[in-house]
Amino acid sequence: MAPVAPPSQTRTFVRRFDSLTNADVPLVGGKNASLGEMIGALKEQGIRVPDGFATTADAYWTYVEANDLEDRLTDHLDAMAAGEQSLSETGAAIRECIRGGRVPEAMADAIRTAYRELSAAYDSDAIDVAARSSATAEDLPEASFAGQQESFLNVRGAEAVLEACKNCFASLFTDRAITYRQEQGFDHMQVALSVGIQKMVRADKAGVLFTIDTESGFPDAILINAAWGLGETVVKGTINPDQYTVFKPLLDRESLVPIIGKRRGDKAQKMVYAEAGDAPTTTVETTEEERRAFVMSDDEILTLARWGRIIEAHYDRPMDIEWAHDGETGELYIVQARPETVQSRQAAGVLRTYRLKETGDRLVTGLSIGQSIAEGPVQVIQSAEEIDRFEEGGILVTQMTDPDWGPILKKAAGIVTDRGGRTSHAAIVSRELGIPAVIGTGNATEVLPDGREVTLSCVEGTEGYVYAGRLDYETKELDLDSLPDTDTRIMLNVASPDAALNWWKLPVEGIGLARMEYIVNNVIQVHPMALVAFEQVEDEAARTEIERLTRGYADKAEYFVDHLSRGIATIAASQYPHPVLVRLSDFKTNEYANLIGGQAFEPHEENPMLGWRGASRYYSDEYRDGFALECRAIRRVRETMGFTNVVVMVPFCRTPEEADRVLEVMAEHGLTRGENTLQVYVMAEIPSNVLQADDFAERFDGFSIGTNDLTQLVLGVGRDAERLSALFDERNPSVKRMITDLIDQAHAADRPVGICGQAPSDHPDFAEFLVEAGIDSISVIPDSVADVIQHVAEAERRRQRQATSSRVL
């Protein structure tokens, strides 16, 4: 039974946004209540929200009553429940009933008057508005109705507004909305619909903002998607938008630019105002210039991020926000805000991880959504009309999805789309359902045939992959609250910036090794000298690829600095304010030569492992300009972005004199040890580092032991020598004595010692030895954190018992 509308003389049909607060959700729905809340509470903090008004639940029930709709709607719903009518037949019939009704005169007059007053406020007789549906139970943290009802853009004139209201009322019974309410346990006839009539922003660019990382749940990131034109292309996932990531805690400092991620989308289309015809909007192809350019400037990104942080603080929860930039006035606006309903509700104390145990041919690549793995047969579905042929447990492959695809998505083991971004419908629903998705591949529907067995992997960073065949994988669930505390600092070894944010829940205190060469090899791909001395690259294929990669950069060297600085900043953000030790590049000459353009700058060496690597490169004339780019990137991370928790680490430094030369070159590029809290560590991986530890301690702030190189140089066994692999053991007494001696000498000089090799992860007894030796920190790969913490805690307890026993005796 539908609620009874109050007597006509007491009904309120319209409420101005500025008269609404969050307490008015039952009256105007979550979307409209939120707009009023922001106008009333956040306007003084500089946040702009287009003005407007909302029809009320009273208006909806008055419309239902005046047109005798209750019985007709109930009859159709009952027929569907009895199996006498299909979902599509029921939805179509109900929508036709609602659209065919007449707006009661008193209600129509109230809407016309509100529209005229809104137009007058903008010095116009008739402004263009957006009519947005807002269900009275919508956008609550417990139930997000986002995308279930319709919005209508560029509506102009009082009569057009009335027609838009009827269409919004009808959209309360879209097929997807009917299905959603049934699944959520809402009575169809107890939910009303409010229509928000909001001044249209003539957007030349628009998008979505989340105040939480949508994949990892990392709470200190703000994620912004942006595209040209109106925001519907981003919301509905019809294009691959730009993506920007901002580090929230450093936004307080106006002098900083903490934009840690910028990814350019292809933005193939944009929705714009129609110049003629019946349709108010039209979708057109973007220009080549628009596709190559970033949609937003850094100032705009930071303004939006600061607004997002203010809105999140006001609501005291992570938020999902839609924004638009007015191309005529140049001003930014917030047009919607609702609670984020996926990551914010995940259990904080549990970490579930997936790992592939084998590899296969990589078939397509896209954005990684979901941090899990799925396998199954490909099922290519071109449109929602083919939903009935989808079989449960398959991998759905399609161009894009919209809310009408709800029934099929619940059956899928994984989703792969040609188009869309992290805020597209497919991405949002996959998170809600807890299934992985690879979004925006560009060609999945062409490359993946029906029936092919594949494995979908979303556990390798921000990029997701579809592999041929069913690959073996494992799943682990870790109860973080059960792990003991340790006096020894436990840190992470991290290489990939894309994966760094995934591990924020782990109970660690920083990163003991961030490998710069991973970013150079996998993100930048180009030899740094090929960028600063491009004219010396004679290989035409290399020149062509470098031109392609650096497109949009007037200075090719800036391409290197930009990507390296953002990669380092992302890693630093994941553990801020804990220390993050960034190792300067430690490629061997053969590895450098394999970078694009590298052949022109690298000599051939018979034994690159003991050749021109590490510190020896940084002050050499042949690489000095390349090293300058590394220094520029680190300086930008620390000074421009604000990540002063970054500690620089110098690898393979053979002598104290070489250390002096490296520190001198760093200072020339603005990285002076001790200034702006800059600390510089040295890798202890050569016997000379131990034998002259007192001299190195005068030049560096700390030591980090690299067990692989130290072991091979102490034992004379190549780390990659297969025939001698049985002899390569970090637990050899000679290696352990080296470590013990280094710790003793470093502590005598008041210098900390950490270890960042693989040995503590592989050998529990080695971790226990390190505790006994007095190591200050142990840095391990993420998968090993739990085991190492437990081994270290047990070793510390045993050490404490022994110390207590000795005192008693």
Side-chain angles (χ1 to χ4, degrees):
M1 181 93 180
V4 177
S8 58
Q9 65 270 20
T10 64
R11 296 176 192 173
T12 301
F13 298 120
V14 169
R15 286 279 298 272
R16 289 166 46 120
F17 282 168
D18 60 13
S19 72
L20 298 171
T21 70
N22 278 337
D24 294 308
V25 171
L27 184 66
V28 295
K31 186 180 300 179
N32 291 329
S34 179
L35 289 170
E37 178 77 16
M38 288 189 293
I39 288 174
L42 303 179
K43 188 175 182 178
E44 291 185 0
Q45 297 188 56
I47 294 177
R48 286 186 289 270
V49 178
D51 207 351
F53 62 92
T55 65
T56 65
D58 284 355
Y60 174 79
W61 294 123
T62 296
Y63 184 85
V64 169
E65 177 188 89
N67 290 281
D68 296 321
L69 292 174
E70 182 182 347
D71 289 342
R72 286 188 285 167
L73 270 53
T74 301
D75 288 345
H76 284 298
L77 292 168
D78 290 344
M80 182 183 68
E84 300 169 1
Q85 209 169 250
S86 69
L87 169 64
S88 60
E89 290 171 336
T90 301
I94 290 178
R95 292 192 297 273
E96 185 177 355
C97 288
I98 296 175
R99 283 195 294 262
R102 179 187 60 82
V103 180
E105 198 57 34
M107 177 177 157
D109 285 344
I111 293 173
R112 291 189 189 103
T113 299
Y115 174 73
R116 285 195 296 268
E117 291 175 350
L118 179 63
S119 297
Y122 287 93
D123 297 322
S124 172
D125 293 331
I127 60 170
D128 47 347
V129 295
R132 305 182 189 277
S133 302
S134 181
T136 55
E138 185 181 26
D139 298 335
L140 299 177
E142 297 79 13
S144 174
F145 284 5
Q148 303 306 315
Q149 285 81 44
E150 300 290 351
S151 294
F152 300 91
L153 306 179
N154 195 18
V155 178
R156 191 179 187 88
E159 299 311 308
V161 169
L162 289 173
E163 193 64 26
C165 287
K166 290 166 60 175
N167 288 329
C168 285
F169 290 163
S171 76
L172 187 59
F173 289 91
T174 59
D175 295 356
R176 58 185 180 265
I178 294 171
T179 301
Y180 188 84
R181 285 196 296 274
Q182 287 177 324
E183 293 172 347
Q184 297 294 325
F186 286 95
D187 184 333
H188 298 291
M189 301 306 296
Q190 293 295 318
V191 177
L193 191 128
S194 166
V195 183
I197 305 299
Q198 184 179 43
K199 172 69 174 71
M200 255 316 260
V201 177
R202 296 192 69 91
D204 61 344
K205 45 191 171 185
V208 176
L209 178 155
F210 283 89
T211 64
I212 190 172
D213 182 62
T214 54
E215 301 315 307
S216 67
F218 181 59
D220 288 337
I222 285 180
L223 184 73
I224 301 172
N225 277 178
W228 300 113
L230 302 174
E232 294 297 293
T233 57
V234 178
V235 175
K236 293 185 175 180
T238 57
I239 54 96
N240 299 333
D242 285 354
Q243 178 173 299
Y244 315 114
T245 308
V246 184
F247 186 61
K248 205 185 303 177
L250 294 177
L251 283 169
D252 282 332
R253 297 172 58 184
E254 294 286 341
S255 61
L256 299 180
V257 185
I259 303 172
I260 62 176
K262 291 179 76 172
R263 187 186 298 268
R264 185 184 289 108
D266 60 29
K267 307 176 293 288
Q269 298 175 320
K270 63 179 178 179
M271 181 180 286
V272 297
Y273 277 54
E275 295 181 1
D278 295 332
T281 62
T282 184
T283 300
V284 300
E285 300 294 314
T286 51
T287 65
E288 185 65 25
E289 183 180 0
E290 287 174 322
R291 296 181 191 187
R292 290 184 179 182
F294 282 115
V295 171
M296 302 185 72
S297 68
D298 285 358
D299 285 345
E300 290 169 337
I301 293 169
L302 293 174
T303 295
L304 270 183
R306 291 188 173 104
W307 285 7
R309 186 189 54 174
I310 292 170
I311 293 170
E312 178 185 59
H314 179 74
Y315 284 92
D316 194 26
R317 65 187 58 172
M319 298 294 289
D320 169 0
I321 299 165
E322 292 181 30
W323 61 272
H325 176 273
D326 193 307
E328 295 181 345
T329 67
E331 294 182 326
L332 287 165
Y333 289 90
I334 300 299
V335 295
Q336 285 192 45
R338 62 178 70 89
E340 192 275 342
T341 57
V342 179
Q343 288 294 347
S344 57
R345 296 169 64 187
Q346 298 290 332
V350 177
L351 181 66
R352 183 179 293 107
T353 62
Y354 297 77
R355 184 178 69 87
L356 282 174
K357 299 175 69 174
E358 57 181 332
T359 59
D361 293 333
R362 190 175 289 172
L363 303 177
V364 296
T365 300
L367 295 174
S368 170
I369 308 292
Q371 294 189 22
S372 62
I373 297 172
E375 58 183 9
V378 167
Q379 295 187 50
V380 180
I381 302 293
Q382 297 293 353
S383 72
E385 296 175 359
E386 302 178 50
I387 285 176
D388 291 343
R389 73 175 185 84
F390 187 84
E391 297 181 8
E392 188 165 357
I395 302 295
L396 171 65
V397 177
T398 188
Q399 291 188 12
M400 56 171 283
T401 69
D402 62 35
D404 287 330
W405 289 64
I408 191 173
L409 298 178
K410 294 177 177 63
K411 298 179 180 179
I415 305 169
V416 184
T417 69
D418 288 345
R419 293 180 284 166
R422 293 198 182 280
T423 54
S424 65
H425 176 264
I428 291 171
V429 172
S430 71
R431 293 187 197 103
E432 291 179 348
L433 297 176
I435 61 175
V438 179
I439 301 296
T441 63
N443 62 350
T445 54
E446 300 172 8
V447 174
L448 303 177
D450 257 335
R452 180 162 191 175
E453 299 284 346
V454 298
T455 298
L456 193 159
S457 171
C458 293
V459 296
E460 301 170 65
T462 58
E463 288 194 330
Y465 307 106
V466 178
Y467 294 100
R470 289 179 178 258
L471 303 182
D472 189 23
Y473 66 94
E474 65 178 8
T475 304
K476 292 182 178 179
E477 191 166 284
L478 178 62
D479 181 3
L480 301 177
D481 294 333
S482 68
L483 294 176
D485 294 329
T486 62
D487 294 327
T488 307
R489 182 191 293 263
I490 305 300
M491 306 174 79
L492 288 179
N493 292 341
V494 174
S496 168
D498 287 346
L501 298 185
N502 294 344
W503 308 112
W504 69 273
K505 289 183 180 180
L506 288 174
V508 296
E509 297 178 84
I511 292 174
L513 175 61
R515 300 180 180 89
M516 184 183 290
E517 55 267 21
Y518 179 94
I519 303 172
V520 175
N521 189 56
N522 292 278
V523 179
I524 298 171
Q525 304 178 49
V526 183
H527 193 291
M529 291 301 297
L531 296 168
V532 296
F534 181 64
E535 69 281 355
Q536 296 182 33
V537 179
E538 297 179 354
D539 185 320
E540 283 302 320
R543 290 180 66 88
T544 299
E545 185 63 5
I546 292 171
E547 291 282 15
R548 184 187 71 82
L549 289 170
T550 60
R551 186 184 303 153
Y553 288 89
D555 174 15
K556 287 182 170 56
E558 175 60 20
Y559 164 80
F560 185 97
V561 176
D562 187 40
H563 283 79
L564 182 57
S565 61
R566 296 195 196 284
I568 293 172
T570 300
I571 295 173
S574 70
Q575 289 294 316
Y576 185 88
H578 295 303
V580 171
L581 278 63
V582 177
R583 188 176 71 186
L584 298 169
S585 64
D586 192 26
F587 282 125
K588 289 73 176 174
T589 50
N590 59 322
E591 295 169 333
Y592 262 120
N594 288 332
L595 294 171
I596 298 170
Q599 293 289 344
F601 303 97
E602 296 298 324
H604 172 73
E605 293 182 320
E606 292 297 329
N607 189 357
M609 189 71 74
L610 296 179
W612 190 37
R613 60 176 286 201
S616 62
R617 297 183 69 97
Y618 308 150
Y619 55 86
S620 67
D621 291 337
E622 293 84 356
Y623 188 72
R624 182 185 291 264
D625 290 342
F627 182 62
L629 302 187
E630 297 183 25
C631 292
R632 276 175 56 187
I634 291 174
R635 187 175 181 185
R636 182 175 298 178
V637 170
R638 289 179 50 84
E639 298 180 9
T640 303
M641 297 183 183
F643 293 100
T644 53
N645 60 323
V646 166
V647 177
V648 176
M649 191 151 63
V650 179
F652 226 78
C653 187
R654 294 172 170 92
T655 67
E657 292 73 27
E658 187 169 61
D660 291 334
R661 300 187 70 177
V662 170
L663 292 170
E664 181 180 339
V665 173
M666 288 176 57
E668 290 174 3
H669 296 294
L671 293 176
T672 301
R673 177 185 164 219
E675 290 187 5
N676 192 26
T677 70
L678 176 64
Q679 290 189 319
V680 184
Y681 277 42
V682 64
M683 292 287 294
E685 51 193 344
I686 304 171
S688 62
N689 299 142
V690 180
L691 297 172
Q692 292 183 268
D694 53 345
D695 293 323
F696 281 101
E698 293 177 0
R699 292 160 171 84
F700 294 103
D701 298 290
F703 296 84
S704 181
I705 301 168
T707 54
N708 286 337
D709 274 322
L710 185 61
T711 300
Q712 75 170 346
L713 293 174
V714 169
L715 299 181
V717 177
R719 54 196 285 185
D720 298 324
E722 293 184 11
R723 292 186 179 182
L724 302 177
S725 60
L727 296 174
F728 190 94
D729 190 345
E730 302 92 334
R731 295 169 294 177
N732 181 278
S734 295
V735 179
K736 292 171 74 173
R737 178 175 294 182
M738 278 281 186
I739 293 172
T740 301
D741 288 349
L742 174 66
I743 293 172
D744 289 343
Q745 292 185 71
H747 285 177
D750 198 26
R751 293 289 185 265
V753 181
I755 191 166
C756 59
Q758 184 62 23
S761 301
D762 294 340
H763 309 296
D765 58 329
F766 192 76
E768 294 175 6
F769 152 73
L770 293 171
V771 173
E772 294 293 332
I775 199 83
D776 296 291
S777 65
I778 298 175
S779 188
V780 297
I781 61 175
D783 287 349
S784 302
V785 165
D787 290 339
V788 169
I789 285 177
Q790 290 166 342
H791 294 313
V792 167
E794 177 55 34
E796 289 178 348
R797 285 193 293 268
R798 185 164 51 250
R799 190 180 187 188
Q800 181 64 36
R801 288 196 297 269
Q802 291 171 349
T804 302
S805 177
S806 298
R807 287 195 297 270
V808 171
L809 293 175

